[in-house]
Amino acid sequence: MNNPELCRIAIYSNDYYDFIIDYTSEYSREDAACFQKVSDRFDIAYYEQTDTPELNPENYPYAIIPKCFALTDQTALEASGILRLQNPSGLDLSGEGVLVGFLDTGINYMHPAFRNADGTTRIAAIWDQTDETGTPPEGFSYGAYYGKEEINAALRAENPSEAVPSADENGHGTFLAGVACGSADAAMDFTGAAPESEILMAKCKEAKPYLREYYFVPEGVLCYQENDLMLALSWLVRMAERLQRPLVICVGMGSAMGNHAGEDALSVLCGEIGRLRLRGVVTSAGNEANARHHYWKSGLSENRTDQVEISVGNNVTGFYMECWAAVPEIYRVSVLSPTGERFAGSSGIVGRDTHTFLFEKTTVTLDYMVTGSGLGSQLVYLRFLAPYPGIWTVELTPVLAIEGSIHCWLPLTGLLQGEVFFLQSDPDTTILSPGMSAAAINTGAYRADSGGIDPDSGRGYSILGVIKPDILAPGVNVCGPGLRTDYTRRSGSSVSAAVTAGGCAQIFQWGILQQGLTYLNSTNLSNILIRGAIRNEDRTYPDRAFGYGLLDVYQALGMLRL
């Protein structure tokens, strides 16, 4: 039985490890100081560090350690066919009766974009995971819950922030919520995609220092733990069940970790939710296509070495690199330093090798493991501590090769301190987790003014050939609410995800609330949007960059009449 006070301490304290427990694996939550239920498949367990081995892949399964996620940063709505659906002469769809949920940096609940005409809030509830003093939502042991009544009372108060102290210091969550659901503001020529929907906001707490250190995240950079995002998803679903309303979830964060097959815990959870009736999940493709952080080689033969060159800039404290190959392939890995010293690793399926280079004073650790509940992929996980600037070469030699195909990824650009990239990179398969989740709608970004793709927008497909992104939506220089009562502009695939989420709320209003199609879920939404997408006759679809085309919600609903 959980002790509520011990749980609260463990969840916030850097003296406790956070682990993701998947009940399809053999790892259990036994001896945990506290646990939080996510779903029938997942729990989050918290263990005191003094009672557990050091955090590294040799001591714990890869999937159990939470990954770090970062933010994937009125013309847009017209280009997407959304404004035509809001028009009474069209279908008069504004998202009424639908919940749109976010797991993000919070929301500026005082902004006019989130109020009704009478000044009351359009926010159904906020779960602020960062608030250590408030009352947690039912079923959770941390953060503070603020319902509609508390928010309305705060809006009537002389000092609202004293009554409801939750705020969005970054602005990302406020912006996405406004793009998807913001109220119409004629003076500013602004409206959200679903301006009569209601909003659920989970303000996610930042990652603990021990995990930031483990992943070499620079000081001051925002990053979030996978387990907190999973619990935020769980809360959104529980709130929708409690309110008995359809729910569309917008995920505007991403991670470059994992095998890009949708097997990581957050992707699996998005898929489970997306398959539920009355639930839709929209993810962003990320902005890593031009980052030179993906390497791919196929056709490798046994005992023929492939050289992967990595350029490392000055003042990089450390970085990691993941190389994924399909089982039963086995690779031997060696590392060549800028001055020519070679570290020859072993050629096993599991195990660890560590070496400190004499002149560079750089320590490199190689962990070999088999991971992934579905594919059982082989992973070689490399950590470079205090890397000397210059060209580092990772030599990959297949000991057993069938397909002879291997993918390598570096961390997100925003989570690196300094410049690290592959000299020979591949822009494909750069969609971030949880974007490869098969049951979620993945959205890339394009320019509404020209129709051209944002060159940074993540590209598909998954390593299994699953078609992602599904569609593109406007994501460049889009207008949305700022941190005060102003409006600002932002770009990135998270913005395109918000536009798409608002369009999905319109479809849910029409399909579920007006037509009684209570079977609709994320898969159905994806199929509807794909059928109605705008396609250029000069392009072949599906496309690794453009998916099945450009978002057009009006045309998508029109296709249902055929």
Side-chain angles (χ1 to χ4, degrees):
M1 188 72 178
N2 276 334
N3 178 318
E5 185 55 33
L6 178 58
C7 270
R8 185 181 287 253
I9 292 170
I11 290 168
Y12 287 112
S13 173
N14 194 50
D15 296 330
Y16 289 78
Y17 287 146
D18 303 14
F19 290 141
I20 299 170
I21 308 301
D22 182 344
Y23 286 105
T24 63
S25 68
E26 296 181 0
Y27 211 89
S28 75
R29 68 185 191 200
E30 188 177 351
D31 300 326
C34 166
F35 67 90
Q36 296 276 276
K37 182 178 179 61
V38 175
S39 65
D40 291 338
R41 176 168 176 172
F42 294 107
D43 276 353
I44 309 301
Y46 303 85
Y47 293 81
E48 194 166 5
Q49 291 187 26
T50 55
D51 298 333
T52 52
E54 179 187 357
L55 189 70
N56 62 56
E58 184 179 33
N59 293 329
Y60 302 101
Y62 171 82
I64 202 173
I65 303 173
K67 301 170 182 62
C68 268
F69 284 70
L71 307 175
T72 53
D73 250 358
Q74 181 141 79
T75 302
L77 301 186
E78 180 141 12
S80 302
I82 286 172
L83 287 182
R84 295 177 71 185
L85 291 179
Q86 292 178 5
N87 193 318
S89 63
L91 290 174
D92 198 14
L93 298 178
S94 56
E96 184 178 3
V98 179
L99 294 168
V100 184
F102 302 86
L103 45 157
D104 219 285
T105 61
I107 188 168
N108 174 13
Y109 66 88
M110 291 177 269
H111 199 289
F114 308 119
R115 299 205 207 182
N116 295 304
D118 62 2
T120 59
T121 187
R122 291 182 42 240
I123 301 170
I126 298 171
W127 176 26
D128 189 337
Q129 294 182 349
T130 70
D131 190 334
E132 300 185 40
T133 61
T135 302
E138 184 178 352
F140 298 87
S141 297
Y142 69 118
Y145 172 86
Y146 301 103
K148 181 176 287 188
E149 290 185 4
E150 290 103 320
I151 298 170
N152 278 329
L155 291 173
R156 293 191 298 267
E158 185 175 345
N159 190 345
S161 59
E162 288 185 359
V164 174
S166 182
D168 179 5
E169 293 83 6
N170 175 273
H172 188 266
T174 295
F175 189 89
L176 295 197
V179 168
C181 313
S183 300
D185 187 330
M188 297 301 297
D189 193 24
F190 171 81
T191 184
E196 294 188 29
S197 60
E198 285 197 297
I199 300 162
L200 293 171
M201 175 61 73
K203 178 181 178 178
C204 299
K205 72 178 184 66
E206 292 186 47
K208 291 182 178 180
Y210 83 82
L211 203 62
R212 296 175 65 94
E213 181 179 350
Y214 179 71
Y215 289 125
F216 303 110
V217 178
E219 186 177 349
V221 172
L222 289 178
C223 72
Y224 302 87
Q225 295 184 196
E226 186 176 16
N227 54 296
D228 287 318
L229 304 187
M230 294 173 70
L231 288 166
L233 285 172
S234 178
W235 175 73
L236 293 173
V237 171
R238 294 187 208 184
M239 284 297 300
E241 290 171 351
R242 176 178 145 193
L243 298 173
Q244 293 294 291
R245 305 271 286 283
L247 168 68
V248 178
I249 298 173
C250 176
V251 184
M253 298 188 189
S255 171
M257 300 181 68
N259 64 1
H260 290 64
E263 283 200 324
D264 58 281
L266 190 65
S267 294
V268 170
L269 183 60
C270 284
E272 290 179 350
I273 295 170
R275 293 183 184 94
L276 298 174
R277 294 186 309 113
L278 315 181
R279 306 289 180 255
V281 181
V282 181
T283 62
S284 63
N287 311 303
E288 288 287 294
N290 268 343
R292 295 180 288 178
H293 287 168
H294 172 235
Y295 176 90
W296 174 63
K297 195 66 174 284
S298 63
L300 298 175
S301 57
E302 293 177 9
N303 299 317
R304 295 286 299 271
T305 298
D306 182 51
Q307 293 191 327
V308 183
E309 294 180 308
I310 309 167
S311 175
V312 179
N314 295 317
N315 303 316
V316 177
T317 57
F319 68 93
Y320 60 85
M321 168 181 166
E322 295 184 356
C323 294
W324 291 84
V327 167
E329 297 189 349
I330 302 173
Y331 284 78
R332 182 171 60 249
V333 180
S334 298
V335 179
L336 189 66
S337 77
T339 62
E341 182 179 352
R342 175 176 273 101
F343 162 37
S346 62
S347 57
I349 298 176
V350 294
R352 162 173 278 216
D353 297 316
T354 301
H355 178 76
T356 299
F357 290 84
L358 180 62
F359 291 111
E360 288 85 357
K361 308 299 183 187
T362 299
T363 299
V364 174
T365 303
L366 306 177
D367 285 288
Y368 302 83
M369 63 195 89
V370 175
T371 187
S373 57
L375 299 179
S377 306
Q378 189 197 11
L379 166 63
V380 182
Y381 187 86
L382 299 90
R383 282 174 58 86
F384 291 75
L385 178 61
Y388 191 80
I391 305 300
W392 289 81
T393 304
V394 176
E395 299 178 330
L396 303 171
T397 307
V399 177
L400 173 61
I402 305 298
E403 297 179 10
S405 177
I406 193 161
H407 291 266
C408 301
W409 286 278
L410 293 167
L412 286 178
T413 303
L415 299 185
L416 280 167
Q417 182 169 351
E419 194 170 54
V420 182
F421 60 88
F422 295 117
L423 290 187
Q424 292 183 307
S425 62
D426 177 20
D428 295 333
T429 324
T430 50
I431 289 174
L432 305 180
S433 167
M436 293 299 186
S437 178
I441 302 164
N442 185 254
T443 311
Y446 81 97
R447 299 187 63 98
D449 55 358
S450 67
I453 191 171
D454 179 350
D456 294 326
S457 184
R459 298 164 57 109
Y461 304 134
S462 84
I463 64 168
L464 299 178
V466 176
I467 308 301
K468 296 291 176 180
D470 295 282
I471 52 172
L472 298 190
V476 179
N477 203 28
V478 175
C479 179
L483 282 178
R484 297 179 178 84
T485 58
D486 59 335
Y487 292 85
T488 185
R489 292 186 179 273
R490 287 184 181 239
S491 300
S493 63
S494 60
V495 178
S496 61
V499 173
T500 305
C504 288
Q506 291 182 309
I507 295 174
F508 266 4
Q509 180 190 356
W510 174 84
I512 297 171
L513 300 176
Q514 296 182 5
Q515 305 298 319
L517 306 178
T518 56
Y519 59 83
L520 288 182
N521 62 10
S522 197
T523 302
N524 302 132
L525 284 172
S526 176
N527 292 337
I528 290 170
L529 293 178
I530 285 171
R531 288 192 187 102
I534 301 170
R535 285 178 272 275
N536 188 324
E537 61 183 15
D538 296 327
R539 186 178 300 278
T540 301
Y541 297 91
D543 181 86
R544 287 183 178 271
F546 282 79
Y548 286 97
L550 308 183
L551 176 70
D552 190 323
V553 184
Y554 183 86
Q555 184 167 287
L557 283 178
M559 291 292 290
L560 295 179
R561 296 180 296 183
L562 299 180

